[in-house]
Amino acid sequence: MSAFEKLLQHSEKVSHFSHLSAICGWDQAAMMPAGGAEARAAAMAELSVHIHNLKTQPQLGEWFNDADNETLNVEQQATLREMKRDWQQANVLPQALVEAQSLAGSRCEHAWRTQRTENDWAGFEKNWAEVVKLSQEEAQIRAEATGLSPYDAMLEIYEPGTSSASLDIVFDDVKGWLPDLIDQALEKQASESFIAPSGHYPAAQQKALGQDVMKLLQFDFNHGRLDESVHPFCGGVPSDVRITTRYRDDEFVQSLMGIVHETGHARYEQGLPKHLAGSAAGEARSMGIHESQSLFFEMQLGRSSAFIAQLASLCVHHFSGHDAALFAVDNLQKIYTRIKKDFIRVDADELTYPAHVILRYEIERDLINGVISHNDVPELWDTKMQQYLGLSTAGNFRDGCMQDIHWTDGAFGYFPSYTLGAMYAAQFMASMRDTVDVEAAVRRADLTPVFSWLQDNLWSKGSLLTTDELVKQATGEVLNARHFKAHLQQRYL
Amino acid sequence: MSAFEKLLQHSEKVSHFSHLSAICGWDQAAMMPAGGAEARAAAMAELSVHIHNLKTQPQLGEWFNDADNETLNVEQQATLREMKRDWQQANVLPQALVEAQSLAGSRCEHAWRTQRTENDWAGFEKNWAEVVKLSQEEAQIRAEATGLSPYDAMLEIYEPGTSSASLDIVFDDVKGWLPDLIDQALEKQASESFIAPSGHYPAAQQKALGQDVMKLLQFDFNHGRLDESVHPFCGGVPSDVRITTRYRDDEFVQSLMGIVHETGHARYEQGLPKHLAGSAAGEARSMGIHESQSLFFEMQLGRSSAFIAQLASLCVHHFSGHDAALFAVDNLQKIYTRIKKDFIRVDADELTYPAHVILRYEIERDLINGVISHNDVPELWDTKMQQYLGLSTAGNFRDGCMQDIHWTDGAFGYFPSYTLGAMYAAQFMASMRDTVDVEAAVRRADLTPVFSWLQDNLWSKGSLLTTDELVKQATGEVLNARHFKAHLQQRYL
């Protein structure tokens, strides 16, 4: 057996355990009663250790060395590259640091859950200092291993191939036009009126509606499910993708579009190359590309007027007895494109969202590169919020720098993925329109040409190409924020 | 760290992986879409291999030797005994035999699913010959390791401490009075009439009813769930017990009592000693004792007139609009105690069930001990069915020796557990009545004294005692079929 084949076999073994982890993780969030938590946490921790042990077995280094000298075809070379990337990520950090981070992160996140409610920056800062310090150490080690700057080495975890130099250029461009665009859109919407949902929308009806929307989006129910959890997510494995949502009795708007979003993630997973299942090359390309699919579904497709018309008729069908004016296409469209300058990222609309991300990106970049201290963050946050969205968070830590979970356990480098995803989504739509009449497909409720384009150009590629290669092959150019700007202008002006 | 402590730690590690296996196994039956089956099977197989590898690590032998010389208290001694039993079970068979059995069993079971429908004994017999041969080999190896007869060595897997010599005595006694009792009961029921369920019983209403019954039975929903699967079962882990049922739209009777049955299994699991979780001593004592709890719930409690009265009022509440006469206590009682001589074990009533089990026991005992050949089975089945239930299965393999799944993959030695469970359940009830007014507790819908007795005498003991010790401490005597006979006479004559 060649070294490459040994690596493949080993990778498949690891993926079997990851499968169990994904299903039990989904169960934890969607099914498990509270009393099962402690024993489950212990079982999951044991599994994590086992997976880590598999990924750090000493013979792998030799196999990678040997495989480098073996004759491999293009697909095998890409597979080897991705397996190696995965292996390097698992082996680059000393075990003591990983354990210290896990401990500090758990402590900080756990305390944050009450500290945030209490607006307790002083309490939070004590735990967070350690998390930041350990993340800086991590970034330093990763920097030395890769020859990148500390923050770029962190970006590499989530967005391989993306640098802060390129993000600076793209985000500076966005900062140049976004605040004006937001103001113009707000002015336009100021005079608009619409009917908001009121009354009672039973969860069972919302679920049936959601399943119909998933069918319209050609979600494969033979390879997946829809369930409920407090924090909606897309989990499971490509052959069995589990998406979740959360229903509120008093409205259906959020849950419905949440399902569209998660279905985007899900279809990417369902469309990954089956012949590469179990190897890193068969996995999703990056967090940003993953998010590009959920946002393609949610923002590019989901909030288009043709799609809103489909949603409207499904709503009428499932919520009979409600005011028909609520489900008028124009009314639903207004609800789904309403914008507002506000504090909270997770509640932000499509237009203000990039401001939230760019703010976080600039702060975490400088924090990880050691340019600023963790104690500078609240003031910087306030300054940038005023600059980008005209809101002050002075003294309001809860709705400012303490609002997100990401930083509490050291996930620095993740935030840019959200806006990269939004940009890629706009670029994919622009390119798709060259060959596909998207609106006509949506109007006849057969989106097959849309999904064929995504399947052929993106989903089927797994991680065989780098992000730049993938985007260039699909759209003729690498990331170009112009498409995102054009999309926003077209929708909001 | 002492050898005993090392063994405990290792046992806990194994139990973490078993936890994942239990949850993913439940998911497979209750949640997984069909398309997820292949990847799941591969992941579960990898996990099985891993668990087997852990259980057969060479250093365990040394640790067991060392632990034998360590000073242990009574509970630790019992824990060591059970860990050793588990270890011996995992190590006694050569890997080649285990693999051959797995292959032959899968092939036989898979083909059986169509062969049974087609009444194809000739086809079945070809695959089954290999399964029987390999099981005979297994029994021989187990016999040599334990000094028992081949069949007794198989019994040891499911019912440690039980011998065919003792089963022969108990079952011969049952055979002496059961056929007459069945005939007398049938004669009595011949003149009775009752109203059968008709109309429509929506699954959602049946589920709500089932959950109410589970509450009455003090199922801990903080440590468990109720879901649906094709074959109802009790799975999960003690901190998170998953029971399932199957709803039919046209009746509620089977599912409702099925839930009572599985709740018995579940409460045993939920009541196991928490301080021993993760070691073999903290697990259920045996299959027979497990079944004694489900049958205590289903037969001793569930079919008593006091409990039927509780079910009746819950049915009236959940199925409003149906004919009230159906839910009259006397009518429900007749439905739930109706007996019939019939071919199929899984559909059999309480009174005829032991005949089905004894028939299987006698055949599998002689088959595994090499007294008969697998080709003798159809004729023997026919003879015994005529003898015990007055029915002929000549030429009817489908409803005869091909009806059960157990033998298709070599689970010889399991069948006696069902009737042992029924007998233990009757004995526990008789003993409980000495100190607990069971009927009064059920009538006031607070079964706490019943469950306290079970908790104190059975559930909290895990596997600390042998079955004989457990039963003797709880009831003052070892297994005594007299209580079962008295119970059946009291109910059916």
Side-chain angles (χ1 to χ4, degrees):
Chain A
M1 196 185 283
S2 72
F4 176 74
E5 285 163 337
K6 284 185 211 162
L7 287 166
L8 262 190
Q9 204 175 54
H10 186 265
S11 171
E12 196 167 358
K13 183 179 198 163
V14 174
S15 86
H16 289 149
F17 288 103
S18 302
H19 177 133
L20 304 170
S21 175
I23 295 301
C24 288
W26 165 85
D27 182 272
Q28 213 164 2
M31 293 288 149
M32 187 184 74
E38 199 182 319
R40 179 68 57 85
M44 295 288 276
E46 187 82 57
L47 180 59
S48 291
V49 169
H50 180 62
I51 290 174
H52 181 75
N53 286 345
L54 287 175
K55 286 188 173 183
T56 53
Q57 281 181 3
Q59 70 269 34
L60 294 173
E62 282 171 46
W63 293 351
F64 277 111
N65 280 339
D66 293 348
D68 278 339
N69 300 317
E70 289 173 358
T71 308
L72 303 174
N73 66 28
V74 175
E75 187 169 290
Q76 289 169 330
Q77 285 170 31
T79 301
L80 181 61
R81 180 195 69 218
E82 292 301 320
M83 288 197 294
K84 199 167 189 172
R85 200 181 96 74
D86 193 46
W87 171 68
Q88 283 164 337
Q89 294 286 354
N91 285 272
V92 68
L93 299 180
Q95 192 56 26
L97 178 60
V98 173
E99 281 163 21
Q101 285 187 299
S102 168
L103 211 67
S106 296
R107 188 187 298 125
C108 184
E109 184 193 316
H110 182 77
W112 164 79
R113 294 186 185 272
T114 46
Q115 286 163 345
R116 188 193 168 196
T117 321
E118 293 161 1
N119 200 37
D120 177 13
W121 166 257
F124 177 71
E125 178 272 325
K126 281 192 197 76
N127 292 324
W128 198 46
E130 179 71 7
V131 173
V132 172
K133 194 195 88 177
L134 294 170
S135 288
Q136 286 169 335
E137 275 179 50
E138 173 186 354
Q140 197 53 51
I141 294 168
R142 290 183 182 278
E144 278 158 26
T146 53
L148 300 169
S149 72
Y151 182 71
D152 281 19
M154 295 296 282
L155 272 179
E156 194 69 11
I157 306 172
Y158 310 103
E159 294 301 325
T162 295
S163 67
S164 47
S166 66
L167 285 178
D168 285 343
I169 294 170
V170 173
F171 286 169
D172 279 347
D173 175 53
V174 175
K175 279 161 66 181
W177 49 260
L178 188 65
D180 276 355
L181 183 51
I182 293 172
D183 286 337
Q184 287 173 271
L186 277 173
E187 205 182 312
K188 181 171 173 247
Q189 292 189 355
S191 58
E192 287 178 0
S193 69
F194 63 93
I195 302 161
S198 65
H200 185 66
Y201 304 87
Q205 285 174 33
Q206 290 196 53
K207 181 171 184 178
L209 167 64
Q211 283 170 329
D212 274 357
V213 173
M214 290 167 74
K215 279 175 203 154
L216 178 65
L217 295 169
Q218 299 184 13
F219 178 91
D220 180 356
F221 280 97
N222 189 39
H223 291 98
R225 294 176 51 96
L226 167 67
D227 294 280
E228 293 172 53
S229 70
V230 177
H231 302 285
F233 68 101
C234 172
V237 294
S239 61
D240 183 1
V241 180
R242 310 284 174 98
I243 73 169
T244 69
T245 188
R246 179 178 42 175
Y247 304 109
R248 285 173 50 157
D249 267 5
D250 60 344
E251 67 102 343
F252 62 92
V253 171
Q254 265 195 315
S255 173
L256 180 56
M257 202 52 89
I259 288 174
V260 173
H261 180 96
E262 300 304 339
T263 303
H265 283 305
R267 292 228 48 204
Y268 185 15
E269 290 287 320
Q270 290 181 335
L272 288 170
K274 287 171 187 50
H275 71 289
L276 296 175
S279 98
E283 293 174 10
R285 176 60 280 182
S286 74
M287 299 313 301
I289 297 297
H290 227 308
E291 198 69 13
S292 81
Q293 297 312 287
S294 55
L295 291 175
F296 185 94
F297 277 57
E298 181 191 350
M299 300 301 181
Q300 298 297 323
L301 270 185
R303 283 175 161 80
S304 71
S305 55
F307 196 86
I308 298 263
Q310 295 289 352
L311 290 184
S313 68
L314 286 171
C315 284
V316 168
H317 173 72
H318 285 279
F319 300 130
S320 60
H322 282 269
D323 184 4
L326 169 62
F327 305 126
V329 178
D330 184 57
N331 191 64
L332 270 189
Q333 177 108 44
K334 281 180 185 158
I335 291 175
Y336 274 124
T337 53
R338 194 75 188 164
I339 63 161
K340 192 183 174 196
K341 290 181 180 176
D342 218 332
F343 293 105
I344 306 300
R345 177 186 59 84
V346 293
D347 298 332
D349 55 80
E350 180 181 24
L351 193 55
T352 57
Y353 205 105
H356 292 278
V357 167
I358 294 171
L359 173 154
R360 284 158 179 75
Y361 160 71
E362 292 173 337
I363 293 175
E364 69 175 17
R365 176 198 59 200
D366 292 350
L367 189 61
I368 293 301
N369 285 337
V371 177
I372 59 169
S373 140
H374 75 280
N375 265 318
D376 300 330
V377 172
E379 201 186 318
L380 270 167
W381 194 286
D382 178 43
T383 309
K384 287 178 188 287
M385 270 305 272
Q386 296 204 38
Q387 201 178 329
Y388 304 158
L389 290 172
L391 298 169
S392 169
T393 58
N396 183 0
F397 309 101
R398 167 178 30 208
D399 298 328
C401 62
M402 282 175 70
Q403 72 181 262
D404 291 307
I405 197 173
H406 302 57
W407 287 350
T408 66
D409 48 14
F412 296 100
Y414 188 105
F415 281 121
S417 305
Y418 294 114
T419 292
L420 286 172
M423 291 172 168
Y424 285 129
Q427 186 164 338
F428 294 144
M429 180 57 100
S431 195
M432 186 188 294
R433 286 224 172 88
D434 292 343
T435 53
V436 178
D437 188 342
V438 177
E439 196 179 302
V442 176
R443 293 225 179 269
R444 67 171 182 272
D446 177 3
L447 284 79
T448 307
V450 172
F451 301 134
S452 296
W453 193 97
L454 295 171
Q455 179 68 52
D456 293 347
N457 288 287
L458 303 174
W459 304 342
S460 66
K461 307 293 184 187
S463 287
L464 286 173
L465 307 173
T466 66
T467 304
D468 274 358
E469 286 166 357
L470 178 76
V471 175
K472 200 166 178 185
Q473 285 194 15
T475 69
E477 57 183 344
V478 295
L479 178 64
N480 182 343
R482 174 175 76 75
H483 303 288
F484 184 52
K485 182 182 180 185
H487 159 73
L488 295 176
Q489 286 174 327
Q490 193 272 328
R491 175 164 293 167
Y492 292 98
L493 291 189
Chain B
M1 197 184 281
S2 73
F4 177 74
E5 284 163 338
K6 285 185 211 162
L7 287 167
L8 260 190
Q9 204 176 56
H10 185 265
S11 171
E12 196 168 358
K13 184 179 198 164
V14 174
S15 85
H16 290 150
F17 288 103
S18 302
H19 176 135
L20 303 169
S21 175
I23 296 301
C24 288
W26 165 84
D27 183 273
Q28 213 165 359
M31 294 287 148
M32 187 185 76
E38 200 182 319
R40 178 68 57 84
M44 294 287 276
E46 187 82 58
L47 180 59
S48 291
V49 169
H50 181 62
I51 290 174
H52 182 75
N53 287 344
L54 286 175
K55 286 188 173 182
T56 54
Q57 281 181 3
Q59 71 270 34
L60 294 173
E62 280 170 49
W63 293 351
F64 277 111
N65 280 338
D66 292 349
D68 278 340
N69 299 316
E70 289 172 358
T71 309
L72 304 174
N73 65 29
V74 175
E75 187 169 290
Q76 289 169 330
Q77 286 170 30
T79 302
L80 181 62
R81 179 196 68 218
E82 291 303 317
M83 289 196 294
K84 198 166 189 174
R85 200 181 97 76
D86 193 46
W87 171 68
Q88 284 165 336
Q89 294 286 353
N91 285 272
V92 68
L93 300 180
Q95 192 55 27
L97 178 60
V98 173
E99 281 163 21
Q101 285 186 301
S102 169
L103 210 69
S106 297
R107 186 187 299 125
C108 183
E109 185 191 317
H110 181 77
W112 165 77
R113 292 183 187 276
T114 46
Q115 286 163 345
R116 188 193 168 195
T117 321
E118 293 160 1
N119 200 37
D120 177 13
W121 166 257
F124 177 72
E125 178 272 326
K126 281 191 196 77
N127 291 324
W128 197 47
E130 179 70 9
V131 173
V132 171
K133 195 195 88 177
L134 293 170
S135 289
Q136 285 169 334
E137 274 179 50
E138 173 187 352
Q140 197 55 50
I141 293 169
R142 290 183 182 275
E144 278 158 25
T146 53
L148 301 169
S149 73
Y151 183 70
D152 280 19
M154 295 296 282
L155 272 180
E156 194 70 12
I157 307 173
Y158 310 103
E159 295 300 327
T162 294
S163 68
S164 47
S166 65
L167 285 178
D168 285 344
I169 294 171
V170 173
F171 287 168
D172 279 347
D173 175 53
V174 174
K175 279 161 66 181
W177 48 259
L178 188 65
D180 276 353
L181 183 51
I182 294 172
D183 286 338
Q184 287 174 274
L186 278 173
E187 204 182 311
K188 180 171 174 245
Q189 291 188 356
S191 59
E192 286 178 1
S193 70
F194 63 94
I195 302 161
S198 66
H200 185 66
Y201 304 86
Q205 284 174 31
Q206 289 197 52
K207 183 172 184 180
L209 167 63
Q211 284 170 329
D212 274 355
V213 173
M214 289 167 76
K215 279 175 204 154
L216 179 65
L217 295 170
Q218 299 185 13
F219 179 91
D220 180 356
F221 280 97
N222 189 41
H223 290 97
R225 294 176 51 95
L226 167 67
D227 294 278
E228 291 172 55
S229 71
V230 177
H231 302 286
F233 68 102
C234 172
V237 293
S239 61
D240 183 1
V241 180
R242 310 284 175 97
I243 73 168
T244 70
T245 188
R246 179 177 44 172
Y247 303 110
R248 286 172 50 158
D249 268 5
D250 60 344
E251 67 103 344
F252 63 91
V253 170
Q254 265 195 315
S255 173
L256 181 57
M257 202 51 89
I259 288 174
V260 173
H261 180 96
E262 299 305 338
T263 302
H265 282 305
R267 292 227 50 202
Y268 185 15
E269 290 287 319
Q270 290 181 335
L272 288 169
K274 288 172 186 50
H275 72 290
L276 296 175
S279 99
E283 293 173 10
R285 176 59 279 181
S286 75
M287 299 314 300
I289 296 297
H290 226 309
E291 199 68 12
S292 81
Q293 297 311 288
S294 55
L295 292 176
F296 185 94
F297 276 57
E298 181 190 349
M299 300 301 181
Q300 299 296 323
L301 269 186
R303 283 175 160 80
S304 71
S305 56
F307 196 86
I308 298 263
Q310 296 290 350
L311 290 184
S313 66
L314 287 170
C315 285
V316 168
H317 174 71
H318 286 280
F319 299 130
S320 59
H322 281 270
D323 183 4
L326 170 60
F327 304 127
V329 178
D330 184 57
N331 191 63
L332 271 188
Q333 176 108 43
K334 280 180 186 159
I335 292 175
Y336 274 124
T337 52
R338 194 76 188 164
I339 63 161
K340 192 183 175 196
K341 289 181 181 177
D342 218 333
F343 293 104
I344 305 301
R345 176 187 58 84
V346 293
D347 298 332
D349 55 80
E350 181 181 23
L351 193 55
T352 58
Y353 205 104
H356 293 277
V357 167
I358 294 171
L359 173 156
R360 285 157 177 76
Y361 160 71
E362 291 174 336
I363 293 175
E364 69 175 17
R365 178 198 59 200
D366 292 351
L367 189 60
I368 293 301
N369 284 338
V371 178
I372 59 169
S373 141
H374 75 279
N375 266 318
D376 300 330
V377 171
E379 200 187 318
L380 270 168
W381 193 285
D382 178 44
T383 309
K384 286 176 189 289
M385 270 305 270
Q386 298 205 36
Q387 201 178 331
Y388 304 158
L389 290 171
L391 299 169
S392 170
T393 58
N396 184 1
F397 310 102
R398 165 178 32 206
D399 298 327
C401 62
M402 282 176 69
Q403 70 180 266
D404 292 306
I405 197 173
H406 303 55
W407 286 350
T408 66
D409 48 14
F412 296 100
Y414 188 106
F415 280 121
S417 305
Y418 295 114
T419 292
L420 285 173
M423 289 171 170
Y424 285 129
Q427 186 165 340
F428 294 144
M429 179 58 100
S431 195
M432 186 187 293
R433 285 221 172 92
D434 291 342
T435 53
V436 178
D437 188 341
V438 177
E439 195 180 301
V442 177
R443 294 227 177 267
R444 69 172 180 269
D446 177 3
L447 284 78
T448 307
V450 171
F451 301 134
S452 296
W453 192 97
L454 295 171
Q455 180 67 52
D456 294 346
N457 287 288
L458 304 174
W459 303 343
S460 66
K461 308 293 183 185
S463 288
L464 286 173
L465 306 173
T466 65
T467 304
D468 275 357
E469 285 166 356
L470 178 74
V471 174
K472 199 164 178 187
Q473 285 193 14
T475 69
E477 56 183 342
V478 296
L479 178 65
N480 183 343
R482 174 176 75 77
H483 304 287
F484 184 52
K485 182 181 179 186
H487 158 73
L488 294 176
Q489 285 174 327
Q490 193 273 328
R491 175 165 293 168
Y492 293 96
L493 291 190

